[in-house]
């Protein structure tokens, strides 16, 4: 490896852009780019042709992982080698593997609703770890689509990292206008279900979930706003025992998605 081509300065334009994209939603939107860190998720992005603009490797990562990474189609990808010290400076993980990437944010696509489709709506979720875990679980359970409305930035490094690569395999749609969201569901025959903590709501274990179904999950602390819950076709709840009256949003979503998948007719 030619040492003359190894970037060592944090003031290098590529490195400065990487750091800006790591910390600023505004810059991610402005440039239409987001960042990745870690061997597995970068490999997923390359394998799924997810628009990797820059592949950034430390010297040691290039020697250790370069052979496998360079087998991917890199015709539209610029490969950059940086010093190990610089890799430690830009890393957001404590034990970095020295593998980073800058990816293009894909253009928005219109949802296609399949027969008996199952959808989850994240309404006002703000914890990146929860959002990432829900997307990962949706991928595992074969949920047909995840809608995000008024939630945290899908392309923040914490969300992306928490998805463990599922962000590349899951149909994810962003619609922050509640009126447009409900109109879209109504036009496509999707029944909306509000996930609530209320003993008067229908127990999820008693729901049949016939046809196209979308379940709305609310904010971690406050749940769904009453006006949103009232707009849904039905209200569902997870029955709980003992003195527990609420669950972590990602855990609740996982249980709901399991029930949606279990009841799906394919």
């Amino acid at each position: 490896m030619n040492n003359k081509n190894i970037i060592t300065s944090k003031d290098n334009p590529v490195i400065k852009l990487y750091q800006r994209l790591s910390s600023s939603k505004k810059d991610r939107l402005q440039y239409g780019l987001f960042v990745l860190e870690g061997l597995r998720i970068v490999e997923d992005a390359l394998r799924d042709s997810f628009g990797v603009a820059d592949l950034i490797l430390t010297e040691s990562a290039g020697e250790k992982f370069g052979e496998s990474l360079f087998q991917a189609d890199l015709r539209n990808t610029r490969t950059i080698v940086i010093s190990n010290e610089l890799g430690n400076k830009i890393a957001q993980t404590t034990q970095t593997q020295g593998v980073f990437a800058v990816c293009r944010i894909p253009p928005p696509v219109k949802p296609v609703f399949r027969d008996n489709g199952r959808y989850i709506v994240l309404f006002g979720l703000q914890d990146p770890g929860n959002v990432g875990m829900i997307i990962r679980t949706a991928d595992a359970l074969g949920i047909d689509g995840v809608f995000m409305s008024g939630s945290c930035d899908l392309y923040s490094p914490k969300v992306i990292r928490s998805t463990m690569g599922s962000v590349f395999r899951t149909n994810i749609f962003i619609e922050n206008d509640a009126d447009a969201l409900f109109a879209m569901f109504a036009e496509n025959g999707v029944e909306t279900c509000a996930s609530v903590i209320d003993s008067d709501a229908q127990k999820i274990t008693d729901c049949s979930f016939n046809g196209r179904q979308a379940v709305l999950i609310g904010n971690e602390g406050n749940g769904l706003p009453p006006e949103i819950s009232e707009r849904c076709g039905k209200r569902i709840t997870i029955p709980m025992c003992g003195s527990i009256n609420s669950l972590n949003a990602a855990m609740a979503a996982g249980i709901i998605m399991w029930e949606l998948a279990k009841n799906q007719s394919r």
Side-chain angles (χ1 to χ4, degrees), residues 143-163:
I143 296 300
D144 295 292
V146 176
F147 289 83
M148 296 180 62
S149 187
S151 293
C152 61
D153 180 18
L154 171 62
Y155 294 104
S156 75
K158 289 183 179 179
V159 171
I160 295 294
R161 193 160 54 245
S162 296
T163 70

Side-chain angles (χ1 to χ4, degrees), residues 182 192-194 216 224 227-235:
F182 277 96
T192 51
C193 309
L216 280 72
L224 289 172
E227 64 273 17
I228 296 299
S229 178
E230 290 168 4
R231 294 180 69 170
C232 293
K234 62 184 176 185
R235 299 162 72 250

Side-chain angles (χ1 to χ4, degrees), residues 118-138:
R118 298 292 188 257
Y119 308 94
I120 199 83
V121 182
L122 311 185
F123 198 94
L125 268 72
Q126 296 303 316
D127 184 282
N130 280 338
V131 171
M133 178 61 74
I134 291 170
I135 291 171
R136 186 181 178 190
T137 306

Side-chain angles (χ1 to χ4, degrees), residues 17-25 28 35 90 92 156-157:
L17 177 60
Y18 182 93
Q19 292 184 297
R20 289 174 65 182
L21 296 172
S22 297
S23 59
S24 170
K25 176 181 179 180
R28 289 192 289 270
V35 300
I90 69 172
Q92 293 194 329
S156 75

Side-chain angles (χ1 to χ4, degrees), residues 29-199:
L29 291 174
Q30 177 182 342
Y31 292 100
L33 299 168
F34 68 101
V35 300
L36 306 174
E37 179 185 345
L39 175 64
R40 180 175 175 180
I41 197 166
V42 170
E43 285 182 326
D44 285 344
L46 290 169
R47 182 173 55 250
D48 294 324
S49 302
F50 209 80
V52 178
D54 292 321
L55 173 63
I56 304 171
L57 303 174
T58 62
E59 296 173 80
S60 58
E63 295 170 357
K64 188 174 182 180
F65 307 120
E67 184 175 348
S68 62
L69 288 169
F70 294 152
Q71 291 178 1
D73 184 355
L74 299 176
R75 285 175 294 179
N76 297 314
T77 301
R78 176 173 54 176
T79 301
I80 297 163
V81 180
I82 63 177
S83 67
N84 296 331
E85 292 76 15
L86 186 55
N88 288 328
K89 289 180 181 178
I90 69 172
Q92 293 194 329
T93 57
T94 53
Q95 296 291 330
T96 184
Q97 294 175 297
V99 181
F100 311 89
V102 176
C103 292
R104 303 175 188 92
I105 294 176
V109 295
K110 186 176 180 180
V112 176
F113 295 94
R114 65 183 297 274
D115 292 342
N116 297 306
R118 298 292 188 257
Y119 308 94
I120 199 83
V121 182
L122 311 185
F123 198 94
L125 268 72
Q126 296 303 316
D127 184 282
N130 280 338
V131 171
M133 178 61 74
I134 291 170
I135 291 171
R136 186 181 178 190
T137 306
D139 180 24
L141 295 177
I143 296 300
D144 295 292
V146 176
F147 289 83
M148 296 180 62
S149 187
S151 293
C152 61
D153 180 18
L154 171 62
Y155 294 104
S156 75
K158 289 183 179 179
V159 171
I160 295 294
R161 193 160 54 245
S162 296
T163 70
M164 296 290 288
S166 290
V167 68
F168 307 128
R169 299 182 292 271
T170 307
N171 296 319
I172 305 174
F173 311 98
I174 299 173
E175 179 51 77
N176 293 318
D177 186 323
D179 290 338
L181 184 69
F182 277 96
M184 177 173 51
F185 287 145
E187 290 169 4
N188 290 278
V190 181
E191 182 177 31
T192 51
C193 309
S195 174
V196 298
I197 301 172
D198 188 340
S199 58

